Amino acid sequence: MTRSWSIRARTAVVFAVASVVLTTAVLVFVNLASQASYARELLVTEIRGSSAPTGAPLRPTGASPVPSAPSTGQPVGTGVALVRTVATLQWQWSAVGVGVAGLLAGAVGWAVSRRMLRPVDTITETTTRLSASNLHERIALGGPDDELRRLADTIDALIARLEGAFESQRRFVAQASHELRTPLAVQRAALQIALPDDATPAEIADARETLLAENRRTERLVESLLVLAEADRDVGAERVPVDVDELVADVVATVAAAARAAEVTVGSEVADGLELVAEPVLVRQLLLNLVDNAVEYNVPGGAVRVRVDRDGIVVENSGPDVRPADLERLTEPFQRAAATGSHRHSGLGLSIVAAVARAHGWSLDLAARDGGGLVATVRTLPAAAGGVSAE
């Protein structure tokens, strides 16, 4: 496939062709109009000459005397020959003028397009040079606020988003590697130290329990990573009406055993006839993570309250005080608000919640609760945009 002409070449050709066409049209009009005028004057002169006395000079009205031809004495014939000569010269010089005008217009078009499209070269060079290692660079195009400037600013914004995504991916991979290394190291230690060649049945049983616990922790971590990757996809075509009351009841029943073990009370409140238009599997995971986190990071005798209304989903729990500085990092992968004696969580719970909210176009707000604990609010959009609606 051959490469098409550049914008500069096409601009120059368009300028040249347009100039040739316009110049030709003007010159053709001028030449034809001039010849018609000359012919009309000569016709009038010839008619007057045929009715004038023999030998009387023939000339147009208001014109200078026309000299008679030396041989024939016919001034009209001489005028016709002069008009033809003038017309021929006009056409010849017109052709030269059209050619020169086309060349000049092409040169002007090339210069103008080169000047106007110079920012395109800057944009091309910068975007060609970009890679994962230098996403900090920007086009930073100056000049007037025209279409090319807006295009460059849009590309800069895209590069900034890509830089953030790449940086987040690097952190995630590093953190995931660290989290996966810990259970693997524990399992290796259990195999090397707790299971010597002369291990007793009690030592074998202890090692088995340790390995099973670490295996379950690794399994939950891998499942959380898969859910997090799944939550970042576009779910626009997969949204269906979800029965919020049934969904909340299912989540509360799922965490009931963990809540009893932690001596935490879980309650729920859902507006009557409320319906959530969303991807059901991911929204269930969002609710489950919020409620499970609220139970995990609580205190004995504490409480968890789940409230869903037309403004969104609110999960409020008692517990230790949460510092404002910790709120900003809780949605980052593998970040925990406080240490607990349980190892049920991988530190991805709120990261998954934030990803599910983003996928649906919602927002997640975290706030410290008066008296200790956390208030997590998922603000949904109107039903037309995929949020909460009332039947």
Side-chain angles (χ1 to χ4, degrees):
M1 182 178 179
T2 59
R3 182 179 178 181
S4 60
W5 286 8
S6 66
I7 296 179
R8 294 173 184 171
R10 283 180 287 172
T11 303
V13 170
V14 169
F15 266 64
V17 171
S19 176
V20 168
V21 171
L22 292 176
T23 305
T24 301
V26 172
L27 291 178
V28 166
F29 173 76
V30 171
N31 278 274
L32 292 178
S34 299
Q35 292 179 33
S37 298
Y38 290 151
R40 189 166 52 252
E41 284 294 327
L42 288 174
L43 181 60
V44 171
T45 303
E46 185 176 357
I47 293 174
R48 290 178 178 176
S50 62
S51 60
T54 302
L58 300 176
R59 55 188 174 84
T61 304
S64 300
V66 180
S68 301
S71 57
T72 61
Q74 297 292 331
V76 175
T78 302
V80 172
L82 180 60
V83 169
R84 290 176 179 172
T85 302
V86 171
T88 301
L89 292 175
Q90 280 182 335
W91 283 115
Q92 292 174 351
W93 284 110
S94 296
V96 174
V98 168
V100 172
L103 292 176
L104 291 177
V108 171
W110 177 271
V112 170
S113 62
R114 182 177 183 182
R115 172 71 177 177
M116 298 299 295
L117 296 177
R118 187 176 300 167
V120 175
D121 293 335
T122 303
I123 296 173
T124 303
E125 292 172 2
T126 303
T127 52
T128 302
R129 190 172 59 250
L130 287 176
S131 65
S133 60
N134 62 345
L135 284 174
H136 61 279
E137 295 187 18
R138 298 291 183 270
I139 299 172
L141 190 66
D145 187 15
D146 55 8
E147 291 83 358
L148 292 178
R149 171 74 177 276
R150 291 192 290 273
L151 173 62
D153 291 343
T154 302
I155 295 176
D156 282 343
L158 172 62
I159 296 172
R161 292 194 297 271
L162 289 175
E163 182 184 16
F166 269 81
E167 188 60 31
S168 176
Q169 190 74 12
R170 291 192 191 99
R171 290 196 306 269
F172 179 80
V173 170
Q175 293 165 342
S177 300
H178 175 74
E179 291 289 330
L180 286 170
R181 188 185 298 118
T182 300
L184 292 176
V186 172
Q187 293 175 36
R188 185 177 65 251
L191 290 171
Q192 292 176 343
I193 300 173
L195 286 178
D197 294 337
D198 56 347
T200 64
E203 291 175 334
I204 294 175
D206 290 341
R208 183 187 63 184
E209 291 299 324
T210 300
L211 290 174
L212 285 175
E214 290 303 318
N215 181 266
R216 284 192 292 267
R217 182 172 183 268
T218 304
E219 184 179 7
R220 285 193 296 268
L221 176 59
V222 173
E223 288 176 354
S224 297
L225 291 173
L226 291 175
V227 172
L228 182 59
E230 181 77 3
D232 281 328
R233 76 181 196 276
D234 183 13
V235 296
E238 303 175 18
R239 300 184 185 187
V240 295
V242 177
D243 188 335
V244 181
D245 195 4
E246 181 180 349
L247 194 65
V248 172
D250 178 51
V251 168
V252 170
T254 302
V255 302
R260 284 193 300 269
E263 300 179 8
V264 174
T265 303
V266 180
S268 63
E269 178 184 344
V270 180
D272 293 336
L274 198 60
E275 192 176 81
L276 191 68
V277 182
E279 204 285 326
V281 176
L282 290 180
V283 174
R284 183 187 183 280
Q285 189 68 45
L286 178 147
L287 274 170
L288 180 61
N289 284 11
L290 286 175
V291 177
D292 201 27
N293 269 18
V295 172
E296 174 77 7
Y297 299 97
N298 213 310
V299 293
V304 175
R305 183 188 179 197
V306 182
R307 186 175 73 256
V308 183
D309 55 27
R310 288 166 180 78
D311 295 329
I313 303 169
V314 180
V315 177
E316 181 179 351
N317 64 275
S318 57
D321 291 331
V322 181
R323 297 178 302 175
D326 293 334
L327 293 175
E328 300 178 358
R329 63 180 182 85
L330 285 181
T331 55
E332 293 293 324
F334 309 109
Q335 298 295 325
R336 299 172 178 87
T340 65
S342 172
H343 296 285
R344 295 190 304 112
H345 288 188
S346 60
L348 289 172
L350 291 180
S351 299
I352 293 173
V353 172
V356 172
R358 283 196 305 270
H360 287 81
W362 304 338
S363 64
L364 171 64
D365 296 330
L366 301 178
R369 178 177 173 272
D370 293 338
L374 189 70
V375 179
T377 304
V378 178
R379 302 188 186 281
T380 59
L381 298 178
V388 176
S389 64
E391 287 294 316

